Amino acid sequence: MSRVYNFSAGPAVLPVPVLEEVAANLVDYHGQGMSLLEMSHRGAIFTGIIEETRALLRELLAVPETHEILFLQGGGHLQFSMVPLNLLGAAAEATYIVNGTWSKKAAAEAQKFCHVNVITPAAHASLPDKDDIHVPNDAAYLYYCMNETVDGLEFNYVPPAPSCVPLVADISSNFLSRSVDFSRHALVFAGAQKNFGPAGLTVVILRKDLLGLADEACPTMLNYEVHVQGKSMYNTPPTFPIWVANLVCKWIKAEGGVEEMDRRARERSRLVYEAIDRSEGFYTSAIAPAHRSRMNVVFHLAEEALTDLFIREAEKVNLFNLKGHRSVGGLRASLYNAMPVEGARDLRNFMFEFVRRHG
Ligand SMILES: *Cc1c(COP(=O)(O)O)cnc(C)c1O
């Protein structure tokens, strides 16, 4: 077997022991004579898996009893609609911090449901200044994207909101890579395919007192309360992604937990950012060091025409999927939990080597 280093932004690299465990038990799930993919979600085996996954997430992220954990479908995109549908209540407006591709898309969707008050950073490719975040007391919630996957920006502070305004965060691309302060966050959500498992599963962690605000007209499947009451089994849940996510949780726990994931994320991203910063302008990053993402390193070649050559030569040394998002161009190295630190080190060495050859 030969595995490459896969820097894809998502669906993304998964831990090899998880893939091996799935492969070994795919056809015959631990002696049951059938695959988990063929089993009822109401049976003891799957209900055991979903409950254990919920308990593992509660433990790994220290989720307090004030919050519920839901396993849903529809990706991050469906949350762009579910958040306003469930949290607006009688309020006429919500506040969105828009500093990248995903927060922009979320704010545009919310505009279908309410007036959106937008906070933008003073400079492109940055975070707003903490002191520039003013949220009216009657806003239904304050929304932000903790890690902008396309643009390579990550919040290094929790946006301040009045205590009566719930704070909502899209944590799709940095889920389980750092701790979340649930005394400040009323709702967080994450699509699984970046850091948690295969595509097809979305995790929502929300404070119980937010339930019950949805309008009568809210479609049943989009109502958080329905899914809380159904313990995420109102309808058939995505059983296969939940099984894989269960194994990812166990892997994270065995590797040292979320704190260790954070340490590795800092280490990996530091290696790659150093290669950019030491290149004397050969590689460029538009993002201020304090706002740089630990998960998605976005950079450009000063000589843009060398980008395709960079990608081709990287593949020759097993470094794959480094092309930047089509909207920003350039290069992007996504360095999720399952990326070994050696992968980041190999990329850094290749980057130095590429400067020597083409600089
Ligand atoms: C990938 C991503 C999304 C969209 O996720 P889908 O599952 O494709 O809907 C939303 N927000 C962030 C931060 C992402 O990285």
Side-chain angles (χ1 to χ4, degrees):
M1 182 187 70
S2 87
R3 297 259 307 167
V4 302
Y5 287 123
N6 174 11
F7 296 94
S8 167
V13 58
L14 284 165
V16 173
V18 167
L19 296 173
E20 284 172 342
E21 165 97 15
V22 170
N25 293 288
L26 187 65
V27 176
D28 176 4
Y29 185 80
H30 296 284
Q32 295 297 308
M34 67 174 84
S35 173
L36 184 95
L37 280 65
E38 302 165 299
M39 282 179 201
S40 166
H41 58 292
R42 307 268 173 211
I45 291 183
F46 183 74
T47 52
I49 290 175
I50 195 169
E51 276 163 25
E52 185 185 50
T53 313
R54 203 183 276 116
L56 281 163
L57 274 182
R58 204 172 271 291
E59 180 186 341
L60 285 170
L61 284 171
V63 180
E65 288 302 325
T66 45
H67 288 60
E68 296 276 358
I69 301 174
L70 295 176
F71 299 108
L72 306 178
Q73 300 184 58
H77 279 88
L78 191 56
Q79 293 312 307
F80 298 167
S81 319
M82 282 179 79
V83 166
L85 275 168
N86 283 272
L87 302 197
L88 278 172
E93 65 174 66
T95 302
Y96 279 68
I97 298 174
V98 173
N99 70 324
T101 306
W102 290 117
S103 49
K104 190 174 171 193
K105 218 167 172 188
E109 186 68 12
Q111 254 150 16
K112 296 185 172 187
F113 304 102
C114 66
H115 173 73
V116 173
N117 159 34
V118 173
I119 297 172
T120 48
H124 180 68
S126 66
L127 305 183
D129 204 76
K130 212 169 171 174
D131 300 330
D132 291 338
I133 297 177
H134 303 291
V135 184
N137 278 326
D138 57 357
Y141 56 89
L142 170 63
Y143 180 105
Y144 77 113
C145 176
M146 205 187 284
N147 183 69
E148 282 285 5
T149 323
V150 172
D151 311 270
L153 291 153
E154 188 173 15
F155 270 80
N156 58 356
Y157 67 88
V158 177
S163 58
C164 57
V165 177
L167 181 62
V168 175
D170 176 356
I171 59 170
S172 292
S173 50
N174 61 357
F175 188 48
L176 291 168
S177 77
R178 59 190 262 188
S179 60
V180 174
D181 181 353
F182 286 101
S183 72
R184 310 274 295 276
H185 291 86
L187 187 153
V188 297
F189 67 84
Q193 72 273 22
K194 314 289 164 68
N195 235 340
F196 188 45
L201 169 66
T202 312
V203 175
V204 178
I205 305 176
L206 81 166
R207 223 169 55 205
K208 291 172 185 170
D209 65 274
L210 299 177
L211 299 169
L213 291 171
D215 193 86
E216 281 282 297
C218 179
T220 310
M221 271 298 287
L222 305 188
N223 190 330
Y224 292 131
E225 197 173 20
V226 168
H227 293 288
V228 167
Q229 279 164 4
K231 296 191 160 57
S232 299
M233 300 235 269
Y234 171 73
N235 73 322
T236 315
T239 54
F240 181 62
I242 291 171
W243 174 32
V244 182
N246 174 279
L247 299 174
V248 169
C249 286
K250 288 176 181 162
W251 176 81
I252 292 174
K253 191 174 163 179
E255 293 292 308
V258 168
E259 207 178 307
E260 174 63 12
M261 294 299 118
D262 189 6
R263 192 196 63 74
R264 290 183 196 175
R266 286 171 200 283
E267 169 84 15
R268 284 187 296 259
S269 56
R270 184 185 59 78
L271 289 166
V272 180
Y273 285 121
E274 260 182 27
I276 297 168
D277 294 339
R278 288 192 190 165
S279 73
E280 296 174 349
F282 185 86
Y283 302 109
T284 62
S285 157
I287 298 157
H291 304 165
R292 285 173 169 178
S293 170
R294 299 158 311 131
M295 292 283 118
N296 311 94
V297 179
V298 172
F299 61 108
H300 285 75
L301 287 156
E303 203 176 319
E304 207 63 71
L306 287 175
T307 306
D308 287 343
L309 184 66
F310 181 97
I311 292 165
R312 278 202 309 279
E313 291 195 355
E315 288 182 358
K316 286 188 194 144
V317 291
N318 270 350
L319 308 170
F320 279 73
N321 292 324
L322 287 162
K323 197 178 166 75
H325 189 270
R326 58 191 182 280
S327 63
V328 296
L331 299 155
R332 169 172 57 175
S334 294
L335 307 167
Y336 297 125
N337 285 347
M339 171 60 65
V341 173
E342 297 75 54
R345 196 166 286 125
D346 279 11
L347 172 59
R348 165 200 176 89
N349 291 341
F350 169 75
M351 287 170 72
F352 285 140
E353 182 65 36
F354 193 82
V355 177
R356 274 196 291 278
R357 271 186 280 128
H358 303 285

